[in-house]
Amino acid sequence: LPPSERIGFAVMGLGRLTLGEILPAFLQGRLAKPVALISGRREKARSAGHAYGIGEDSLFTYDEIHKLADRPDIQAVYVVTPNALHAGQVEALAAAGKHVLCEKPMANSSADAKRMIEACHAAGVKLMVAYRCQYEPFNQLVRKLVQSGELGRPKLVEAINTQMQGNADQWRLKPELAGGGALPDIGLYCLNGTRSVLGEEPESLFAQMVSPPDDPRYKNLDETFSFMLRFPSGVIANCATSYGAHESKDLRIHLEKGWISLENAFAYTGHRLRIGRRQGDHKIVSEWHIPAENQFTLEIDHFAECILQNQPPRTSGEEGLRDQKLMEALYQSARTGQMIHL
Ligand code: NDP
């Protein structure tokens, strides 16, 4: 679309993700453009505004969300702030009549997630949760391959997302802002990715978590979290996440007639897709190459398209709510040692 017809977005929270990935991703898109910034720090907003052609009159603070109501050129807002703030901010944005694209995890509780969905519904605006991997071409191809039945029925899924977490000052290590430790931040990719690839909802789950007693950062948070999901079709998924292990972000699916391995499945770049299968008497492994694309751009354009065509987004608030409920059940299982039937 020509710039004048694209959906105008405000981006809220100018942290690492916004400055490093989201604002640059708009430049590669077709349907959306950044037209305003919402930030607690004027100088930072000014400098980002300068880089993206956003003027002083389009820089807002968090207290000024209501003023967006007078700005019809801002049709949607991308919320990229610490997790605990999402719920209140989404409610305020809905009240100002804005469509909302909200970063994951959607909220810190299923109760908050429900409030967000209701606020957007009441205001007649769309709500999408930024599950970028669902828009990423390699992950989409894996989903298609699994659901096509080409390799038979899936039996086992393995999903892992680990990365080292840094200093104690950051909001990610403060339970009141983060809502949990590794699980809601990075383990969520294993949960959402497994559900998405299988196209099924788990019927029971079991979890274990470890917080090393000698590391004060994890006094009230999970450093390492592992869980098993069982699905009605009989598939079992083993998922694991940790803030204390070197980075790996891999998804593997074992099916009747082959296996699918997506290395760096949950990363921004570096996806590597290999398929192992039997051909006649031989077992062969082939690597599949498809063009890599910026998944943030695809995700933002998807939401813009939903607004333009008045369609529901693929990763709606309800999709986020399902994960919030599952994460609550996972923590319950880890705390009690019980298997949970859903
Ligand atoms: P950062 O800490 O880098 O940035 C968060 C920004 O939020 C800050 O820069 C600040 O912006 C604003 N903010 C408002 N209130 C607070 C507060 N009380 N404490 C700290 N910051 C505050 O975080 P990220 O950018 O890494 O993460 C933001 C969100 O994006 C989270 O929900 C996270 O889970 C999600 N995320 C998603 C990723 C993905 O791949 N989809 C990857 C990384 C993060 P300002 O100074 O402008 O007010």
Side-chain angles (χ1 to χ4, degrees):
L1 283 183
S4 62
E5 289 171 32
R6 295 184 187 190
I7 298 293
F9 275 73
V11 183
M12 181 182 229
L14 305 180
R16 269 182 59 187
L17 184 66
T18 295
L19 298 177
E21 307 296 332
I22 292 172
L23 284 170
F26 274 100
L27 301 181
Q28 298 176 40
R30 297 178 301 115
L31 305 176
K33 60 184 173 188
V35 295
L37 301 172
I38 305 165
S39 168
R41 292 208 255 152
R42 196 67 176 185
E43 267 322 301
K44 192 166 50 165
R46 234 178 235 140
S47 114
H50 189 68
Y52 289 91
I54 297 168
E56 191 85 15
D57 61 341
S58 298
L59 308 179
F60 298 89
T61 64
Y62 300 105
D63 300 333
E64 294 175 328
I65 292 178
H66 60 280
K67 291 192 183 170
L68 302 184
D70 304 326
R71 288 285 302 265
D73 61 316
I74 303 170
Q75 289 152 285
V77 179
Y78 195 157
V79 174
V80 201
T81 52
N83 308 341
L85 307 178
H86 296 173
Q89 289 170 340
V90 169
E91 285 181 306
L93 290 166
K98 304 302 163 188
H99 301 291
V100 189
L101 173 53
C102 181
E103 261 308 329
K104 47 52 64 182
M106 176 180 185
N108 283 358
S109 69
S110 60
D112 279 356
K114 275 187 205 144
R115 272 178 33 217
M116 294 158 79
I117 292 170
E118 280 160 17
C120 290
H121 182 73
V125 296
K126 295 184 192 301
L127 173 59
M128 169 168 150
V129 182
Y131 288 123
R132 58 178 167 77
C133 295
Q134 291 209 31
Y135 303 94
E136 191 283 317
F138 282 91
N139 281 274
Q140 286 185 326
L141 181 53
V142 170
R143 183 168 74 220
K144 235 170 82 186
L145 260 170
V146 170
Q147 294 185 14
S148 72
E150 213 180 307
L151 292 172
R153 285 185 300 180
K155 295 288 167 183
L156 290 163
V157 176
E158 296 169 88
I160 186 141
N161 197 358
T162 60
Q163 64 194 43
M164 295 299 288
Q165 198 51 270
N167 66 49
D169 308 336
Q170 53 181 316
W171 66 262
R172 277 191 173 77
L173 296 176
K174 297 185 179 136
E176 66 284 6
L177 281 174
L183 176 65
D185 189 32
I186 54 174
L188 179 54
Y189 288 91
C190 304
L191 176 63
N192 189 264
T194 299
R195 289 179 45 245
S196 161
V197 156
L198 296 175
E200 247 194 304
E201 297 301 325
E203 61 179 15
S204 63
L205 55 82
F206 178 71
Q208 294 240 25
M209 63 179 168
V210 170
S211 303
D214 56 343
D215 190 337
R217 292 179 301 169
Y218 298 108
K219 193 162 166 256
N220 300 306
L221 290 174
D222 43 298
E223 182 222 54
T224 299
F225 199 106
S226 179
F227 55 99
M228 183 185 270
L229 307 168
R230 180 189 170 128
F231 290 84
S233 66
V235 181
I236 291 174
N238 282 303
C239 304
T241 188
S242 179
Y243 273 164
H246 180 75
E247 181 164 316
S248 54
K249 299 178 170 294
D250 303 333
L251 176 66
R252 277 178 80 93
I253 297 115
H254 304 269
L255 308 97
E256 287 170 314
K257 299 182 196 164
W259 52 257
I260 302 170
S261 161
L262 183 56
E263 253 172 71
N264 289 320
F266 311 125
Y268 298 161
T269 57
H271 298 77
R272 182 176 187 223
L273 176 60
R274 283 176 307 144
I275 316 269
R277 65 199 303 176
R278 182 172 286 281
Q279 208 165 63
D281 288 340
H282 303 283
K283 284 190 218 157
I284 59 160
V285 176
S286 51
E287 184 164 348
W288 288 33
H289 297 276
I290 57 171
E293 286 185 73
N294 185 323
Q295 53 194 301
F296 290 98
T297 304
L298 296 171
E299 163 207 285
I300 292 166
D301 270 355
H302 173 77
F303 194 46
E305 187 163 24
C306 290
I307 295 168
L308 286 163
Q309 303 192 345
N310 194 21
Q311 297 287 329
R314 175 178 173 86
T315 52
S316 62
E318 285 77 7
E319 168 81 348
L321 174 60
R322 279 181 214 118
D323 284 333
Q324 296 296 148
K325 287 184 178 163
L326 288 167
M327 288 193 290
E328 282 169 0
L330 287 169
Y331 275 122
Q332 189 192 339
S333 173
R335 273 190 218 105
T336 60
Q338 301 288 312
M339 185 156 98
I340 310 271
H341 296 278
L342 298 157

